[in-house]
Amino acid sequence: MGDETSPEWMNKGDNAWQLMAATMVGMQTIPGLVILYGSMVSRSWAINSAFMALYAFSAVFVCWASWAYRMSFGEEWVFFLGKPAVALDEKFLLGKSFLGAFPTATMVFFQGVFAAITLVLIGGSLLGRMNFRAWMLFVPLWLTFSYTITAFSIWSPNGWLFKLGVIDFAGGLVIHVSAGVAGITAAFWVGPRSEKEREAFASNNMIVALGGAGLVWMGWSGFNGGAPLAVNTLASLAILNTHVCAATSIVTWLVLDSLCFGKPTMFGAIQGLITGLVCITPAAGVVQGWTAILMGLFSGSVPWYTLMVLHKKLKFLNKIDDPMAIFHTHAITGILGGILTGLFAVPKLCRLFYGVPDWKKYTGLFYGLKNGLAHAGLTQLGIQLEATIFVVVFNVISTTVICLVVRSIVPLRVDDEDALQVGGDKSMHGEEAFALWCSHQDKDTKFENVKQNKVYDTKDFSSSIDESSTKKASSEVQMV
């Protein structure tokens, strides 16, 4: 029964699921992407890479509650943006959300983790050379002047693309295309890592990286499953389609790696996983299960070709340094997913998701051709393309302006010589990720005891160090 803390308009099941789904999306970033970024880079940049993700998540939430949420989902200010206002007042937060049967506080949290992960994804294109102070300025500026406009246009009921009828189930355009395009644009302005840094940028721990990727994968149940804003059949369908597409994409990527390069790789598996998750996102709850497999085949092959083959042939892409391949795994794949949504969206599922009686407004082209509604299908595909072009062009322009503004205040990149000599973590944060590590130089394995500032060369243990010294050295290593 309803009471003051549980009003009659609130569905407890829906509210519980939205809070859980939001937490799962948050865990994709903290700790998912923190672990993935921190372990996929060289050891001298591990802290900086993980720290960029942690800072972005924190800064976004401060800005989100202070003004950005209502710019994205509040009262219309102009046709592409809501009025800036705080989302901190008790009366506002405990009232019914503009969508769903739960409080506005739940919606603020749910949409906030989506905004946060978008900025963290952009950071993946900038690892290994961006000045952290520049990143501290970039995050709130990009959230305020780029993300809010895209989110309002596509997701807010008052947005111009929403009214037009674009289908973006859980953020293929708002999050992934935006992050991929903004990432490569920012990477252009920041510039590439030094040649020496790029050559020595191997992962410091691929097993830990796989653990981070696993958190991202499982967290996607909340990412796509929370999009219907209710515990219903569409949420179940979206979650199943998400995992089917991701698994198919991994297998496809590994098969191509094996056929073309002779061996499957862990790096390839992680990239195939990400592309599968991204591709299904705009369509997860509005396509059939067999379509999820088909989209997995596309997401495991098209981005594979652009990353592994086409990227090396295009001089423009070669000049832009994108360490985590965010452009291919998010921009290219997000665009692919948006187009496939325009082809395979099921009119009935779209009607259930958007709650509209007009079946012709959300009709995939192939279903339009099947049902004698070819014009509706072509219109829908055109809307998908129009929205994609808007997101791409707008993010190129907005990110460029923001980078130039930040550059006028602080340098966009860390000093290369300083970073090469002491490492990115030491030069910017004065910290090290690993107190003890193995380095391979001239085929000699060395164990460095950082605390004692001593180096023991294993090849000399038997010949030049007596038994007592060996025991002492071994005990010091074990202590560390």
Side-chain angles (χ1 to χ4, degrees):
M1 296 180 62
D3 57 37
E4 191 172 0
T5 62
S6 181
E8 293 184 359
W9 51 258
M10 187 178 77
N11 184 305
K12 292 182 179 180
D14 290 349
N15 190 41
W17 168 238
Q18 288 309 126
L19 291 171
M20 178 57 67
T23 302
M24 293 173 72
V25 177
M27 291 186 69
Q28 288 183 289
T29 305
I30 310 293
L33 289 175
V34 169
I35 294 173
L36 183 62
Y37 286 3
S39 55
M40 284 289 284
V41 299
S42 65
R43 62 176 182 238
S44 62
W45 286 93
I47 287 178
N48 177 260
S49 300
F51 202 3
M52 286 179 67
L54 179 65
Y55 166 77
F57 193 88
S58 305
V60 165
F61 259 92
V62 174
C63 301
W64 189 249
S66 299
W67 65 80
Y69 168 76
R70 297 182 79 164
M71 291 178 69
S72 303
F73 296 98
E75 182 182 353
E76 181 178 350
W77 192 19
V78 290
F79 70 95
F80 56 83
L81 189 63
K83 290 182 179 180
V86 297
L88 297 169
D89 180 72
E90 165 263 336
K91 185 177 180 180
F92 173 75
L93 293 175
L94 297 187
K96 187 176 183 297
S97 173
F98 70 95
L99 290 174
F102 43 76
T104 299
T106 300
M107 180 65 86
V108 174
F109 178 43
F110 180 73
Q111 293 295 346
V113 292
F114 281 86
I117 200 172
T118 307
L119 267 299
V120 175
L121 292 174
I122 295 173
S125 296
L126 307 171
L127 301 181
R129 79 276 198 189
M130 188 169 190
N131 182 354
F132 195 82
R133 292 183 179 86
W135 179 242
M136 292 177 72
L137 294 175
F138 178 89
V139 170
L141 288 173
W142 193 89
L143 173 72
T144 303
F145 297 107
S146 185
Y147 182 85
T148 56
I149 293 174
T150 306
F152 185 89
S153 298
I154 294 177
W155 275 348
S156 171
N158 296 318
W160 68 281
L161 284 170
F162 183 93
K163 293 178 180 178
L164 204 60
V166 64
I167 303 174
D168 189 7
F169 186 81
L173 295 172
V174 175
I175 296 172
H176 299 296
V177 176
S178 294
V181 174
I184 198 169
T185 303
F188 171 80
W189 290 106
V190 174
R193 292 164 291 171
S194 66
E195 288 299 323
K196 186 175 180 180
E197 226 8 87
R198 295 179 77 169
E199 292 172 1
F201 212 68
S203 168
N204 63 72
N205 196 323
M206 282 300 296
I207 298 300
V208 174
L210 184 61
L215 286 168
V216 172
W217 186 356
M218 291 301 103
W220 226 283
S221 292
F223 199 106
N224 288 347
L229 304 178
V231 182
N232 58 24
T233 54
L234 290 184
S236 300
L237 178 64
I239 292 174
L240 178 61
N241 282 345
T242 296
H243 296 294
V244 168
C245 183
T248 305
S249 184
I250 292 173
V251 173
T252 303
W253 195 293
L254 294 182
V255 168
L256 291 172
D257 270 354
S258 300
L259 292 175
C260 297
F261 303 116
K263 61 181 68 174
T265 65
M266 186 77 76
F267 175 81
I270 292 174
Q271 300 293 46
L273 165 65
I274 300 300
T275 56
L277 294 169
V278 170
C279 188
I280 194 65
T281 293
V286 296
V287 295
Q288 305 226 25
W290 60 265
T291 304
I293 293 181
L294 186 62
M295 293 180 76
L297 293 172
F298 278 109
S299 64
S301 55
V302 175
W304 178 91
Y305 176 77
T306 64
L307 174 61
M308 307 304 291
V309 180
L310 192 62
H311 187 99
K312 299 175 182 178
K313 295 182 178 180
L314 299 178
K315 293 182 179 180
F316 175 73
L317 288 179
N318 273 322
K319 292 180 180 179
I320 300 178
D321 186 12
D322 184 6
M324 299 296 291
I326 299 297
F327 175 71
H328 298 280
T329 58
H330 292 271
I332 296 296
T333 312
I335 292 171
L336 175 66
I339 294 173
L340 291 174
T341 301
L343 296 175
F344 292 103
V346 181
K348 178 182 177 180
L349 296 177
C350 289
R351 179 178 63 84
L352 294 175
F353 177 62
Y354 287 102
V356 294
D358 183 7
W359 288 47
K360 297 180 181 180
K361 190 173 184 180
Y362 300 98
T363 301
L365 177 59
F366 291 153
Y367 284 91
L369 294 174
K370 178 184 176 181
N371 299 326
L373 298 171
H375 178 72
L378 288 170
T379 300
Q380 186 62 55
L381 184 60
I383 293 172
Q384 299 297 117
L385 293 173
E386 182 178 352
T388 300
I389 293 170
F390 165 74
V391 173
V392 171
V393 174
F394 173 71
N395 275 280
V396 169
I397 296 172
S398 62
T399 306
T400 295
V401 173
I402 291 168
C403 285
L404 293 176
V405 170
V406 173
R407 190 175 68 176
S408 68
I409 302 171
V410 295
L412 286 174
R413 58 186 294 119
V414 68
D415 181 72
D416 287 336
E417 290 301 321
D418 189 28
L420 283 174
Q421 287 180 8
V422 301
D425 291 347
K426 276 189 175 181
S427 66
M428 281 189 282
H429 309 294
E431 298 172 306
E432 295 180 65
F434 305 98
L436 178 70
W437 64 77
C438 298
S439 61
H440 300 278
Q441 298 174 353
D442 301 327
K443 300 182 179 180
D444 295 334
T445 302
K446 299 179 179 180
F447 295 94
E448 183 171 346
N449 183 331
V450 178
K451 185 176 180 180
Q452 299 295 332
N453 197 25
K454 297 178 181 178
V455 175
Y456 302 101
D457 195 328
T458 57
K459 76 175 184 178
D460 295 333
F461 274 176
S462 60
S463 59
S464 62
I465 304 179
D466 58 28
E467 185 176 354
S468 61
S469 298
T470 303
K471 291 181 179 179
K472 182 179 178 181
S474 299
S475 65
E476 288 183 355
V477 172
Q478 290 174 357
M479 287 173 63
V480 174

